[in-house]
């Protein structure tokens, strides 16, 4: 895999040999795409487990839908030809058909109606259903108040979906609505692409192993969060634990897992501090750095590389930066590995209810809350006072992320800003 813009991290100081400023998010997104490719290995799974998986091929209707002509209403099946002149019309009731019944053939051609319920098969002799509300049911006789047009309230065989029509296209992320449609068409299993294998680890000698306590040490917030994010993005995730801030140990770690994951994600030690070893260790283990330092706030020290032809995403340690970096790059890479090309978040507009002094140059992503809605449905949003990248608290009070483009300077109340609302889980 050749990436024209690869940069080197030297052994001496962990810095790139081209200190030419931060790369634009757009450039780095292109690199993120270039270092992963769809895996395309398919497997057949139970339809009930398919939510979130990617369809591996077109799935077509095996039969016309509905399979038989059925009533769309509770009412009376009639022959419109029997309703001559002006109504109301009195018709003898020849029987009752409920959903699941197989109606007997209707004897003779004398005018008659049949009591029928929603979903029941409409006998071929009848060409319309009059809904119950327009009839008086006198038991053996029905009084029909209106004349239906032929075909009214009948879901004709094949009127919804023709045989061989595409139900779900290839490369679609299967949602519960797709599962419902496939089940309605008789599917119980589905071919999907295998999940990409993603390994997640944290770096930091300050991080406590699960459940432990210790002075001057902190709990590992990023690893469980990134595992959950990667899972939700469609990956088969392996927890690779915590690596201490030690160059030799980190390099050994990279060598030990090289080639085992389609994407490796870490957090921490990606900056320029004397204990920030991931870049240098990655290179010592044979990795190539394709991008480092992104014009993004928070989340500047983000490293994208390849090792043994597999992608590596080194996110910053500050939890909000790790979250933002994953949302921009990790989620996109996993989607691409999964074989799906989907837009990233439902991008919308909001009106700023806040002011923000800032200099242009970096895409800024800020947790934001909706404070009101206009009549037209446009939200006005506010941002948290504490915008530290070290806390997830504001993120968890937020309704979404405000995105201030790199070119933009300060934001004033009333400005229109891009706002990506958090979606409910699939
Ligand atoms: P680093 O990017 O390693 O310099 O870390 C930046 C800040 O994030 C430091 O305050 C770290 O203690 C903190 N940090 C690093 N990794 C984690 C983690 N997995 N969970 C919570 N905080 C972390
Ligand atoms: Mg660290």
């Amino acid at each position: 895999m050749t990436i024209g813009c690869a940069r080197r991290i030297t052994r001496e100081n962990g810095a790139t040999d081209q200190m030419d400023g931060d790369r634009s998010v757009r450039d780095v997104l292109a690199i993120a795409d270039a270092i992963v490719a769809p895996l395309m290995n398919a497997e057949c799974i139970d339809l009930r487990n398919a939510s979130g998986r990617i369809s591996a091929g077109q799935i077509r209707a095996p039969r016309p839908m509905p399979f038989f002509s059925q009533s769309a209403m509770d009412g009376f099946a009639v022959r419109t030809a029997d309703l001559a002149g002006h109504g109301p019309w009195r018709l003898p009731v020849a029987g009752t058909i409920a959903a699941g019944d197989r109606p007997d053939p209707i004897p003779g051609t004398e005018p008659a109606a049949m009591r029928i319920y929603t979903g029941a098969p409409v006998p071929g002799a009848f060409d319309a259903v009059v809904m119950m509300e327009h009839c008086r049911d006198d038991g053996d006789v029905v009084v029909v108040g209106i004349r239906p047009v032929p075909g009214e309230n009948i879901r004709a065989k094949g009127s919804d979906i023709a045989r061989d029509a595409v139900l779900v296209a290839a490369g679609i992320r299967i949602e519960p609505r797709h599962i419902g449609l496939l089940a309605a068409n008789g599917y119980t299993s589905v071919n999907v692409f295998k999940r990409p294998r993603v390994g997640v680890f944290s770096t930091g000698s300050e991080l406590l192993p699960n459940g432990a306590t210790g002075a001057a040490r902190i709990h590992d917030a990023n690893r469980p969060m990134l595992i959950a994010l990667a899972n939700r993005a469609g990956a088969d995730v392996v927890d690779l634990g915590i690596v201490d801030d030690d160059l030799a140990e980190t390099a050994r770690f990279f060598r030990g897992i090289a080639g085992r994951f389609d994407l490796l994600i870490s957090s921490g030690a990606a900056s320029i501090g004397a204990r920030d070893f991931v870049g240098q260790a990655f290179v010592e283990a044979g990795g190539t750095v394709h991008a480092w330092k992104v014009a993004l706030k928070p989340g500047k020290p983000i490293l994208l590389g390849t090792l043994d032809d597999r992608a590596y995403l080194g996110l910053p340690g500050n939890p909000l930066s790790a979250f933002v970096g994953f949302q921009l790059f990790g989620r996109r890479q996993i989607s691409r590995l999964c074989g799906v090309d989907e837009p990233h978040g439902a991008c919308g507009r909001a009106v700023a209810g806040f002011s923000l002094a800032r200099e242009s140059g970096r895409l800024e992503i800020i947790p934001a809350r909706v404070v009101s809605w206009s009549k037209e449905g446009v939200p006005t949003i506010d941002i948290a006072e504490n915008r530290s990248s070290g806390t997830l608290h504001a993120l968890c009070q937020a309704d979404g992320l405000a995105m201030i483009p790199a070119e933009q300077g300060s934001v004033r109340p009333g400005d229109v800003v891009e706002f990506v609302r958090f979606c409910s889980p699939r």
Side-chain angles (χ1 to χ4, degrees), residues 202-204 206-207 218-224 245 267-271 275-276 301 315-319 390:
S202 293
T203 67
E206 75 277 33
L207 300 179
I218 62 169
H219 296 292
D220 183 350
N222 295 344
R223 194 160 40 105
D245 290 319
S267 67
S271 193
R275 295 279 178 89
D276 290 338
L315 297 169
N318 276 311

